[in-house]
Amino acid sequence: MERGLWRDTSEAESLILAECLDRYRDEVVPTKKDGR
């Protein structure tokens, strides 16, 4: 909150989550038994 103004950061936060999920899918899932 700068100068009393509220800014919606939900879009930026969701993009970060999406990137984390993509990385998990690419790096962790293949190491799981049966690809799960």
Side-chain angles (χ1 to χ4, degrees):
M1 286 182 67
E2 210 172 295
R3 290 188 250 158
L5 298 175
W6 181 79
R7 292 196 175 138
D8 184 7
T9 59
S10 60
E11 183 178 356
E13 291 169 0
S14 67
L15 290 175
I16 293 170
L17 175 60
E19 291 170 1
C20 291
L21 292 173
D22 288 342
R23 184 173 175 183
Y24 180 86
R25 180 197 64 218
D26 295 340
E27 296 179 9
V28 177
V29 171
T31 67
K32 301 294 183 184
K33 186 176 180 180
D34 297 325
R36 295 183 216 175

